[in-house]
Amino acid sequence: KNNLPLEIYNKLRHERIKSILVQCEAIICPSHHQKRTLENLFGTDSRFRVVYHGVYLPIRKTRKTKRSEVWFGYIGTLDEAKGITKLLKAKDLLDDLDFRILICTQNTKNRLIESLRKDERIVLIEDIPRKELYEKFFSKVDYLIVPSIWEETGPLTLFEALYSNVPVIISDMESMKEKVTIGDNALVFRDIDELKSIMEGIIKGKVKYKGKTFYAKNIETYRQDIEDIYYY
């Protein structure tokens, strides 16, 4: 930014964050990883509180259409930081297998959008109201892939998947791993080859796991947690 060297930019950013935090009586962190990061920068402080996100989705029994192929899901922007190219490269390595990827995004001006529309193994939902997210997305996918290449302090889609009893395949990021039960409702990959291997194992029926052992908060429980801090 402003052609500053990274070291100088990070120092200015550090001071700006510090100037904001000193004005706060409580700092809500959506992950223990974020809390540890802040404590490493500014020292242990009782004002740092971890509260996981709550989600607003209907609880319904998933009714999946009987089909021979596995459906993976991806929801979010098509930006590089969200890891979409990792997923697409893994897809290309599985060219001889039968599966589909349901991609839900509002990032329709991204350069990838035209190639996604033409890909026979990708089903694209370009705009979806949040109240229809369960019916049109989570009830249709067998696994959600969260391939982010940076630490996700949420991420909200991970909680929405677990809340909908959809298991997840996530990047090897501490902020996400702390929220799942690896080997039960989640599998972790470190690179494209490992993601490809996991997807291949699922498609061939060698890897199976279910997302029913994690309690995700609904929006009312989340609101109460925030109120408890506010009125502390």
Side-chain angles (χ1 to χ4, degrees):
K1 187 176 182 179
N2 299 328
N3 296 316
L4 291 172
L6 183 60
E7 183 179 357
I8 301 300
Y9 174 71
N10 281 340
K11 184 177 180 181
L12 292 173
R13 188 166 180 257
H14 179 277
E15 292 303 317
R16 178 171 176 78
I17 294 171
K18 189 174 182 179
S19 70
I20 293 171
L21 295 185
V22 296
Q23 301 176 63
C24 302
E25 295 180 30
I27 298 95
I28 298 171
C29 306
S31 75
H32 289 281
H33 175 81
Q34 187 187 59
K35 180 175 182 287
R36 289 192 297 270
T37 300
L38 290 172
E39 289 177 334
N40 288 337
L41 289 172
F42 306 110
T44 303
D45 194 318
S46 61
R47 295 178 303 159
F48 295 135
R49 316 284 184 82
V50 176
V51 179
Y52 286 165
H53 286 307
V55 298
Y56 182 65
L57 285 174
I59 286 283
R60 297 177 187 165
K61 186 175 181 180
T62 303
R63 295 181 180 177
K64 295 186 184 298
T65 303
K66 289 185 178 180
R67 56 201 179 205
S68 59
E69 73 271 23
V70 174
W71 279 52
F72 298 101
Y74 172 88
I75 183 169
T77 72
L78 303 179
D79 297 327
E80 177 64 27
K82 291 295 184 180
I84 183 65
T85 54
K86 271 188 178 183
L87 173 56
L88 297 179
K89 287 177 180 178
K91 171 190 70 71
D92 291 339
L93 294 173
L94 298 167
D95 197 42
D96 59 334
L97 297 177
D98 190 18
F99 66 97
R100 295 291 182 272
I101 301 177
L102 181 61
I103 294 180
C104 178
T105 185
Q106 295 179 324
N107 199 191
T108 56
K109 294 182 179 180
N110 187 280
R111 60 182 176 79
L112 289 174
I113 201 72
E114 287 305 321
S115 63
L116 295 180
R117 287 172 180 156
K118 296 174 183 177
D119 194 313
E120 293 182 353
R121 287 190 296 178
I122 289 178
V123 179
L124 193 62
I125 303 176
E126 296 182 33
D127 193 9
I128 185 172
R130 179 156 292 277
K131 64 181 180 180
E132 298 177 13
L133 195 57
Y134 180 88
E135 180 183 353
K136 293 185 176 180
F137 182 80
F138 285 111
S139 68
K140 299 183 182 303
V141 300
D142 301 301
Y143 303 88
L144 178 75
I145 300 178
V146 188
S148 301
I149 62 174
W150 63 356
E151 293 289 355
E152 292 274 7
T153 51
L156 192 56
T157 54
L158 184 148
F159 287 114
E160 289 170 336
L162 297 178
Y163 196 71
S164 303
N165 291 333
V166 175
V168 296
I169 303 167
I170 60 175
S171 298
D172 187 19
M173 300 290 178
E174 291 300 323
S175 59
M176 291 196 285
K177 290 193 295 184
E178 71 178 64
K179 300 175 175 71
V180 300
T181 305
I182 298 172
D184 191 342
N185 59 13
L187 287 177
V188 178
F189 68 92
R190 290 164 290 186
D191 53 34
I192 293 168
D193 286 337
E194 201 162 14
L195 174 57
K196 174 250 183 186
S197 178
I198 290 171
M199 293 173 70
E200 183 176 21
I202 290 170
I203 294 165
K204 292 183 176 180
K206 296 178 180 179
V207 176
K208 292 183 180 180
Y209 63 118
K210 299 180 179 180
K212 297 184 177 180
T213 60
F214 182 93
Y215 171 73
K217 296 178 183 177
N218 62 28
I219 199 68
E220 287 303 315
T221 303
Y222 176 71
R223 180 186 61 78
Q224 187 60 56
D225 288 343
I226 300 300
E227 282 192 4
D228 290 344
I229 292 174
Y230 182 78
Y231 291 114
Y232 177 74

